[in-house]
Amino acid sequence: MDKIVRRCIRAAVVICDQLHRTPTQPKIPPVPLDLWTNFTQAASRTELARRQKWLIAESVCEQQLRTNALRLRESLFDFCQQRVDTSPPVVLGELIADLQALDGEFDDSSIDLRGQTIQVTTELIELECLELGRFEIVLSYDQLSDCTTPYRVLALDPYLAHEDGCPHPHVQSEQLCAGEGQQAIRTALEQGRLLDFFLLVRQVLRNYNPDSAYTRLDQWHGVDCRDCGDRVEGDDVSGCEPCGAQLCRDCVISCEDCCQYCCDGCSHGCTDCEQVHCHGCLKACRECKQSFCESCLNSEHKPGVCDACCEKEKTEACQEPAEPPQRQPTTQAEATHATTVEVHTLRVGQAVLPA
Amino acid sequence: MKIFVINNDGAGFADHVDIEPGTTVDQLFQRQVSDPKPGNYLIRVNRLPATRDQLIQEGDRVSFTPRKIEGA
């Protein structure tokens, strides 16, 4: 017999045994026989109490009969609702056929009898023009009954992985996040449809869901700086803390006061000292409304007002016209005029008053 | 005649079904799968690729696996 066929048979025997040991949903849901027994016994007691005219006992038995009837009804309703598992039992011949068919679907497949694994190699996976390399899907068939995900996905070309080690948008730490395929994969394993299992995993690897990926493809090899557009990778990527924009080291700005990193849009220079600050560290002058940092804004004389406005106020205060001083007469004529101003008019005690 | 049908869409389904003799793969697909486009599926008969107009025989094993399965 072919060596490969022998390996397939030996692996299939172990798998068949594993799957038969796995507790699966019963073919037919359990019938509530105990509840039926309780109900019929309660009916007999009620009938006996009625015949004997034991009124109190009859009342109690009727209550018990009613309770048992309700429980039986609920249980029969659940019985009718339960899904009957109609999937065929795992057959050794089908397992062997599945294992033999792997060669036709995958670039490479092999069975490790000692490690009790089956592995297949995919073609080179390419998503949105980005080559991710080949992947190996390794099924540990000795864990089929114990583990919910008895398989791993290994990257065979790790140099194509993202810098954080993520080899595929939906693979992390050798675990595939199967998403839409999760239930179908689980069902295929439970039913021993190994070929379907490997096909399903491969189809997940062949597709990309940008809304739910460990690492997005547009960030696979660095990101574009939001401000200058240069490609930036790894530790050279900085983030604007207020808005989250990704920037290169040349474009990122550190606020002079709080030191947080900002982009050009989230920062501004102080009108006075011109040093760059984040918007949170700039305040508007109460007078001129321009933006200033804290040290340039709070004048000694007037908080919330910039130095320029304070100076301007002082200057304006100095320029206000004062009351003109009394001028002393400098000539005789002026002095005479000053002394001949009438105090009294024509009559003593009377003076001409203006209208 | 009785065949074994596997639909790997959604939660997965695998069971024996009765079909009329002379049923093609395409006709079976239209009956079993809600998607109207067979091109969106990998179709295998007895674990081998099949054409849409291929006639299904008694006891065949036919599987439909979606090409597009999105991970998370």
Side-chain angles (χ1 to χ4, degrees):
Chain A
M1 187 185 293
D2 185 37
K3 185 178 175 183
I4 295 174
V5 174
R6 278 204 299 273
R7 295 174 80 84
C8 288
I9 292 172
R10 288 178 64 182
V13 167
V14 175
I15 294 168
C16 199
D17 179 59
Q18 279 276 323
L19 292 175
H20 283 143
R21 277 197 279 127
T22 303
T24 56
Q25 190 169 354
K27 280 288 216 185
I28 301 173
V31 177
L33 290 175
D34 55 339
L35 290 178
W36 173 254
T37 302
N38 292 343
F39 174 74
T40 54
Q41 288 176 349
S44 298
R45 288 196 297 271
T46 305
E47 183 57 31
L48 175 64
R50 192 173 294 141
R51 279 204 308 270
Q52 299 294 330
K53 296 193 172 83
W54 297 334
L55 298 178
I56 295 176
E58 182 185 358
S59 174
V60 172
C61 289
E62 275 183 358
Q63 185 63 37
Q64 289 176 348
L65 180 65
R66 198 169 292 115
T67 302
N68 283 314
L70 286 172
R71 286 180 186 158
L72 181 62
R73 184 179 70 177
E74 284 174 15
S75 182
L76 287 172
F77 179 80
D78 291 342
F79 174 86
C80 294
Q81 292 295 314
Q82 283 184 36
R83 179 177 68 87
V84 177
D85 181 14
T86 59
S87 59
V90 177
V91 176
L92 184 62
E94 299 294 333
L95 287 170
I96 296 170
D98 269 6
L99 293 176
Q100 288 180 307
L102 291 176
D103 258 346
E105 289 285 353
F106 295 90
D107 288 359
D108 186 27
S109 67
S110 61
I111 300 173
D112 179 356
L113 293 175
R114 184 168 296 180
Q116 298 197 316
T117 59
I118 303 167
Q119 42 275 338
V120 301
T121 303
T122 68
E123 77 283 9
L124 190 147
I125 301 289
E126 185 176 315
L127 299 175
E128 296 192 354
C129 301
L130 182 67
E131 288 185 359
L132 300 176
R134 299 162 302 144
F135 290 86
E136 187 173 58
I137 306 166
V138 181
L139 173 66
S140 300
Y141 59 81
D142 59 332
Q143 297 177 14
L144 284 174
S145 58
D146 302 324
C147 186
T148 52
T149 52
Y151 65 96
R152 297 172 293 143
V153 177
L154 312 179
L156 296 182
D157 303 300
Y159 62 92
L160 295 172
H162 186 261
E163 58 191 11
D164 65 1
C166 178
H168 186 282
H170 302 298
V171 175
Q172 192 175 63
S173 303
E174 299 181 349
Q175 295 297 309
L176 174 72
C177 193
E180 291 178 350
Q182 185 173 353
Q183 186 56 50
I185 288 171
R186 186 179 302 154
T187 303
L189 285 175
E190 287 173 356
Q191 296 177 358
R193 294 185 281 111
L194 300 181
L195 179 62
D196 290 336
F197 158 74
F198 283 108
L199 287 180
L200 285 162
V201 173
R202 184 187 66 184
Q203 292 312 116
V204 176
L205 292 173
R206 282 179 172 179
N207 285 275
Y208 172 53
N209 178 9
D211 296 329
S212 186
Y214 288 118
T215 304
R216 291 171 56 94
L217 289 179
D218 57 2
Q219 298 174 358
W220 202 256
H221 293 305
V223 298
D224 291 334
C225 172
R226 209 278 307 274
D227 284 351
C228 69
D230 284 351
R231 197 74 174 169
V232 197
E233 296 184 20
D235 293 338
D236 292 334
V237 177
S238 299
C240 171
E241 293 178 49
C243 72
Q246 290 177 304
L247 309 159
C248 64
R249 285 189 178 179
D250 292 333
C251 291
V252 72
I253 300 163
S254 177
C255 174
E256 286 293 330
D257 276 347
C258 66
C259 299
Q260 76 167 347
Y261 290 133
C262 304
C263 65
D264 187 55
C266 294
S267 61
H268 203 272
C270 169
T271 304
D272 193 350
C273 65
E274 296 183 349
Q275 290 187 332
V276 179
H277 297 73
C278 67
H279 289 159
C281 292
L282 291 173
K283 300 286 184 290
C285 169
R286 286 196 279 121
E287 299 295 331
C288 64
K289 309 300 180 193
Q290 297 200 48
S291 297
F292 295 87
C293 64
E294 187 177 348
S295 55
C296 292
L297 185 62
N298 292 313
S299 165
E300 293 177 10
H301 307 288
K302 210 166 182 184
V305 178
C306 66
D307 290 342
C309 289
C310 278
E311 280 301 317
K312 187 179 173 186
E313 278 186 26
K314 282 184 202 170
T315 307
E316 285 171 355
C318 290
Q319 284 176 351
E320 276 179 11
E323 213 172 284
Q326 280 213 335
R327 186 166 167 272
Q328 296 298 325
T330 56
T331 62
Q332 185 66 30
E334 286 177 355
T336 304
H337 175 72
T339 56
T340 58
V341 171
E342 280 192 9
V343 175
H344 300 290
T345 55
L346 298 175
R347 298 179 184 83
V348 174
Q350 294 182 347
V352 175
L353 296 175
Chain B
M1 59 185 187
K2 188 170 279 190
I3 64 168
F4 189 64
V5 174
I6 300 166
N7 184 353
N8 285 313
D9 203 356
F13 165 85
D15 205 352
H16 291 100
V17 297
D18 285 312
I19 62 169
E20 293 297 318
T23 300
T24 63
V25 168
D26 190 50
Q27 288 169 339
L28 179 66
F29 177 85
Q30 299 300 333
R31 175 179 146 178
Q32 295 291 136
V33 181
S34 56
D35 191 322
K37 295 182 183 175
N40 293 341
Y41 287 75
L42 302 173
I43 302 176
R44 302 286 185 266
V45 175
N46 299 326
R47 301 179 177 83
L48 294 172
T51 57
R52 291 169 59 177
D53 57 353
Q54 181 173 329
L55 285 175
I56 301 174
Q57 310 294 330
E58 171 92 34
D60 274 351
R61 175 191 173 106
V62 185
S63 70
F64 305 109
T65 304
R67 289 183 184 274
K68 183 168 181 176
I69 306 177
E70 289 189 334

